Amino acid sequence: MLVAIIPGDGIGGEVIAQARRVLDHYKKRGLPLETWDLDLGADRYLRDGTTYPPEVADRIRGEARAVLLGALGDPRVPGLEHARDILFGMRFGLDLYANVRPVKALHDRLVPLKDRSARDVDLVVFRENTEGIYVGMGGQFKRGTPDEVAINEDVNTRKGVERLIRAGFEHARTHGRKTVHMADKSNAMKHAHELWHRCFFEVAREYPGIAAKHVYVDALCLYLVQDPSPFEVVVTCNLFGDIVTDLGAALQGGLGMAASANVHATDPSRVALFEPVHGSAPPLAGKDVANPIASVLTVGMMLAHLGWPEEEQRLERICTRAIDLRMCTRDVGGELGTRAVGDWIMSEVEAGR
Ligand code: NAD
Ligand code: IPM
Ligand code: MN
């Protein structure tokens, strides 16, 4: 199974270096994994203008089973051309319509809410990943004049909305979750989110054992901070999913703890993209302070996707112990550097714990 690795920019390289050690361990231990290192990101773009070449896209589509991505975004490329080509090239180009983002706190200490514990923070956000305002349709008119106009179209198709919603319900069904919430702004976006609203309750009828609840996304942000415990699965559009999962990351202890998978949920044999939720965090880059746990948990999601769910559980247990024993970076209450956290995690992984 070919796994393409794109460390990317900023702290991406530092956290992926640690995640990669975990992957290499599984390779050595006999899992049929083969890694393929890709030199893509801001450095490459600035060197020779390459963003996401068609021959790489073709090999990823044709031969890879998974891609592990660090993060993309570099102050030297203020227009983010490379980031969009690579990230959206994969999300859109491979039709990875479900961006699955678990919001799970591994330890009470990480939960910033008053009178709440880790037990209260355990939900999964299904973010639509191929449509919405991210499609880049639109344009600018009279740019640079007092009359300028800027438009980004919000594209929602029946097919796109329905398959994402169904992926959320399927996840609930297969993971013993009892409730799916759909977050929209149908009170303001009367065309696009009326479609979401109608489609949600239509799909819900196919899942009689699962409670289907609607919540406006602004209220969802309120409820998540007041008491996240009623939420199990949340389905939402591309932009809201992006925003809600950064809020969710805060409930987990920060972006250094949040993992994600981008999948074509109806055909899991297709290549999928795995990345921590965080970005390239330029102010942290090169300082050995970035938390590698999100990337290690992301490798866990990848291993589960490839058929080894027990290894995902093992990595989650190890990361939980790292937090508990303060064998972690400063953002989550430890004093170790990125590499030292990787060393500790590797010693646990190698000891088979
Ligand atoms: P960011 O996620 O890089 O950082 C937000 C905050 O979280 C910062 O305070 C940062 O220090 C902290 N943080 C993030 N990851 C951390 C980690 N592993 N350990 C400890 N702290 C961590 O978001 P930003 O600052 O808004 O964006 C920086 C760049 O990254 C931008 O160019 C943005 O477009 C890009 N970005 C890329 C991706 C991606 O490639 N998937 C995701 C988000 C942002
Ligand atoms: C994420 C990021 C990206 C997104 C950016 C880098 C375009 O914030 O993966 O959460 O908005 O999807
Ligand atoms: Mn984001």
Side-chain angles (χ1 to χ4, degrees):
M1 293 182 186
L2 185 64
V3 178
I5 302 180
I6 307 173
D9 309 331
I11 61 168
E14 298 170 55
V15 293
I16 291 302
Q18 303 314 315
R20 212 221 142 91
R21 293 168 72 186
V22 175
L23 212 52
D24 285 341
H25 162 83
Y26 283 105
K27 234 164 74 175
K28 256 197 297 179
R29 225 199 56 189
L31 292 194
L33 299 168
E34 198 190 322
T35 44
W36 170 31
D37 294 294
L38 281 166
D39 172 23
L40 297 177
D43 283 345
R44 174 76 186 274
Y45 177 62
L46 291 168
R47 202 162 67 236
D48 65 10
T50 300
T51 58
Y52 187 53
E55 61 278 11
V56 170
D58 286 349
R59 188 167 177 219
I60 287 179
R61 180 198 309 278
E63 292 175 44
R65 286 296 315 278
V67 180
L68 178 63
L69 169 69
L72 295 160
D74 187 301
R76 295 170 301 167
V77 189
L80 289 175
E81 300 86 281
H82 71 301
R84 268 195 306 275
D85 279 5
I86 299 168
L87 193 58
F88 298 160
M90 288 191 280
R91 289 182 184 171
F92 289 86
L94 301 168
D95 203 23
L96 303 175
Y97 67 84
N99 191 334
V100 185
R101 296 187 156 188
V103 178
K104 181 173 181 182
L106 297 187
H107 197 282
D108 289 347
R109 197 180 78 233
L110 300 182
V111 179
L113 307 177
K114 196 167 148 222
D115 301 329
R116 299 282 160 200
S117 62
R119 244 196 0 256
D120 300 316
V121 183
D122 186 9
L123 60 127
V124 184
V125 176
F126 276 69
R127 165 188 179 188
E128 204 293 318
N129 213 28
T130 50
E131 300 192 343
I133 214 141
Y134 277 72
V135 298
M137 285 171 68
Q140 295 185 336
F141 181 48
K142 299 189 180 173
R143 187 167 184 276
T145 76
D147 298 324
E148 65 183 320
V149 178
I151 294 175
N152 271 100
E153 299 286 0
D154 180 27
V155 174
N156 297 261
T157 68
R158 171 76 199 201
K159 173 183 150 192
V161 171
E162 186 174 328
R163 66 183 184 174
L164 185 274
I165 289 173
R166 186 164 280 113
F169 277 101
E170 277 301 311
H171 178 89
R173 187 177 67 76
T174 52
H175 291 75
R177 303 289 194 131
K178 298 279 175 268
T179 308
V180 176
H181 283 84
M182 190 276 293
D184 70 12
K185 261 312 270 185
S186 49
N187 48 358
M189 298 169 66
K190 71 171 189 172
H191 306 302
H193 287 187
E194 190 276 335
L195 172 64
W196 274 83
H197 198 275
R198 185 160 34 90
C199 190
F200 177 63
F201 287 104
E202 278 177 30
V203 172
R205 282 207 293 275
E206 299 167 27
Y207 299 88
I210 299 169
K213 297 190 179 172
H214 167 255
V215 61
Y216 292 120
V217 70
D218 45 355
L220 174 66
C221 293
L222 172 85
Y223 300 144
L224 284 175
V225 172
Q226 288 178 328
D227 176 12
S229 65
F231 297 96
E232 298 182 272
V233 177
V234 173
V235 295
T236 193
C237 66
N238 206 336
L239 180 63
F240 296 170
D242 177 46
I243 297 167
V244 163
T245 54
D246 264 32
L247 191 158
L251 307 180
Q252 296 171 262
L255 278 163
M257 298 299 297
S260 85
N262 304 255
V263 299
H264 187 287
T266 19
D267 182 1
S269 70
R270 288 202 198 194
V271 56
L273 164 65
F274 299 84
E275 45 172 345
V277 173
H278 66 72
S280 54
L284 306 188
K287 297 184 176 147
D288 192 43
V289 295
N291 185 350
I293 288 183
S295 293
V296 171
L297 295 171
T298 296
V299 167
M301 291 186 84
M302 174 191 292
L303 293 174
H305 182 84
L306 296 177
W308 301 289
E310 64 287 356
E311 301 309 326
E312 178 183 37
Q313 286 157 20
R314 182 198 309 280
L315 291 175
E316 188 180 301
R317 281 197 305 272
I318 290 172
C319 291
T320 304
R321 269 203 306 282
I323 299 293
D324 194 37
L325 301 173
R326 295 194 189 259
M327 292 294 160
C328 52
T329 45
R330 288 180 190 278
D331 54 308
V332 281
E335 290 191 345
L336 299 183
T338 310
R339 272 192 300 270
V341 175
D343 290 344
W344 189 85
I345 289 174
M346 282 313 295
S347 66
E348 295 289 291
V349 170
E350 276 162 359
R353 282 199 275 273

